[in-house]
Amino acid sequence: MPLFKRNPFGHILFLKKMIIRIFGVISHGRYRKFNNLQIEGSEILRNLPDRNVLFISNHQTYFADVAAMFHVFNAALKGRDDSIKNVGYIWNPKLNIYFVAAGETMKSGILPKLFAYAGSVSIDRTWRSAGKNVNRQVKNSDISNIQKAIKDGWVITFPQGTTTPFKPIRRGTAHIIKTCKPVVVPIVIDGFRRSFDKKGLSIKKRNVLQSMVIKEPLDIDYDNETVAEIVTKIEYAIEQHPSFLKVLTVEQIEQLTKEEEELNKQREFWS
């Protein structure tokens, strides 16, 4: 690979590789040592084409979800079966992996800016900005960049656009699917919200069982299915349809409240 070869977004691939290596080594323990990541479906990843793949997933933290996917994807492509044991797989990572993220999030500090260079397709959210609800037009450049990324490789997107569970699916994801006709692979994650803070940078709790389930690609009729039908299919695929809501027992609520109070005491101490 030429030293200064660039991807379609102008990023130097050598620098991108070094950033992924460094953050891969640093973050590996978060899924193998402090907490345990249980994986299902690695073999599905090895059967995907090198380009034109869109991963859709529920969302629990800003960065830890994506970092875990980078680990799982590269480990699977290096022959690991539902495991990220031995971080050597990150030495020669797949460089055409991208993730869709809010532009304001990726510009919020030095670390996010480095993460962005590792593969962010930054967009301006049309429904929220700076913690406030907004209503603005979709930027054509954002759509073009997502399409460019899908054409070049694998793209991770969180179609709810928020870490809050069971929020509606953004219709823009369905429009992208109908336009680009990618292979659509659902992923369901759990445990990240309990083990990390909202940003996914700090470990909130140890010995949490995190899980990532990679499902078979969706069967989509790109020409005949409506946007609404694809949205519903996404809701079920990433287990964010209202029918998946669980009713907690009184005992479960009391336990969760107790755990949250204990965590708040720890946060007061460290602050």
Side-chain angles (χ1 to χ4, degrees):
M1 181 179 68
L3 187 60
F4 295 108
K5 184 178 180 181
R6 299 173 182 266
N7 66 13
F9 297 95
H11 296 153
I12 299 172
L13 295 182
F14 175 75
L15 291 180
K16 179 174 180 176
K17 177 184 286 188
M18 293 304 297
I19 291 171
I20 294 173
R21 283 176 179 173
I22 292 169
F23 282 114
V25 171
I26 292 173
S27 63
H28 188 250
R30 293 167 173 245
Y31 312 107
R32 283 281 299 173
K33 182 180 179 182
F34 301 112
N35 295 291
N36 182 38
L37 178 60
Q38 180 177 299
I39 307 162
E40 293 181 28
S42 289
E43 71 284 352
I44 293 171
L45 298 170
R46 290 194 287 271
N47 293 323
L48 295 173
D50 185 55
R51 292 176 172 81
N52 204 46
V53 178
L54 180 67
F55 294 91
I56 53 173
S57 175
N58 61 313
H59 201 18
Q60 296 195 342
T61 71
Y62 292 170
F63 301 114
D65 308 2
V66 169
M69 291 177 193
F70 268 71
H71 278 288
V72 172
F73 292 1
N74 282 289
L77 294 176
K78 295 299 187 299
R80 309 292 199 280
D81 289 321
D82 295 339
S83 172
I84 58 171
K85 184 178 180 181
N86 185 354
V87 75
Y89 57 77
I90 208 70
W91 183 253
N92 190 27
K94 181 176 172 65
L95 294 177
N96 58 342
I97 297 177
Y98 303 95
F99 58 96
V100 179
E104 63 183 83
T105 300
M106 305 315 297
K107 299 174 183 176
S108 59
I110 295 176
L111 279 177
K113 288 178 181 178
L114 288 173
F115 293 154
Y117 205 93
S120 167
V121 180
S122 299
I123 63 170
D124 288 336
R125 291 185 295 184
T126 59
W127 64 96
R128 197 163 178 80
S129 178
K132 298 180 181 179
N133 293 329
V134 298
N135 184 13
R136 57 190 179 196
Q137 293 293 319
V138 177
K139 292 174 63 175
N140 290 332
S141 59
D142 289 348
I143 298 173
S144 298
N145 284 336
I146 295 173
Q147 292 173 338
K148 186 190 300 183
I150 292 175
K151 185 177 180 180
D152 184 61
W154 292 5
V155 177
I156 301 163
T157 189
F158 303 98
Q160 291 168 286
T162 176
T163 56
T164 304
F166 297 102
K167 286 293 185 178
I169 301 297
R170 297 291 163 182
R171 294 169 65 88
T173 302
H175 283 289
I176 290 292
I177 290 171
K178 283 183 69 69
T179 301
C180 298
K181 299 178 172 58
V183 177
V184 181
V185 181
I187 295 179
V188 177
I189 62 171
D190 194 23
F192 292 81
R193 184 177 288 111
R194 293 189 295 277
S195 54
F196 297 104
D197 66 348
K198 187 172 183 179
K199 288 186 177 181
L201 297 176
S202 301
I203 297 173
K204 186 170 69 175
K205 189 174 182 180
R206 302 189 180 201
N207 300 318
V208 173
L209 179 61
Q210 304 159 339
S211 64
M212 182 182 300
V213 179
I214 299 105
K215 298 185 176 182
E216 292 286 351
L218 294 181
D219 182 13
I220 298 175
D221 186 339
Y222 302 102
D223 297 319
N224 297 315
E225 286 190 34
T226 65
V227 166
E229 288 171 333
I230 294 175
V231 164
T232 300
K233 190 169 284 189
I234 292 172
E235 284 181 328
Y236 279 105
I238 65 173
E239 300 181 8
Q240 291 296 296
H241 187 271
S243 62
F244 285 93
L245 275 169
K246 297 178 181 178
V247 178
L248 298 179
T249 64
V250 174
E251 290 78 12
Q252 288 173 319
I253 293 174
E254 289 178 348
Q255 179 63 29
L256 288 172
T257 302
K258 183 179 178 181
E259 291 179 358
E260 186 62 27
E261 289 175 351
E262 291 175 353
L263 287 171
N264 283 335
K265 290 179 182 178
Q266 293 178 20
R267 292 176 190 132
E268 288 175 5
F269 174 80
W270 286 111
S271 62

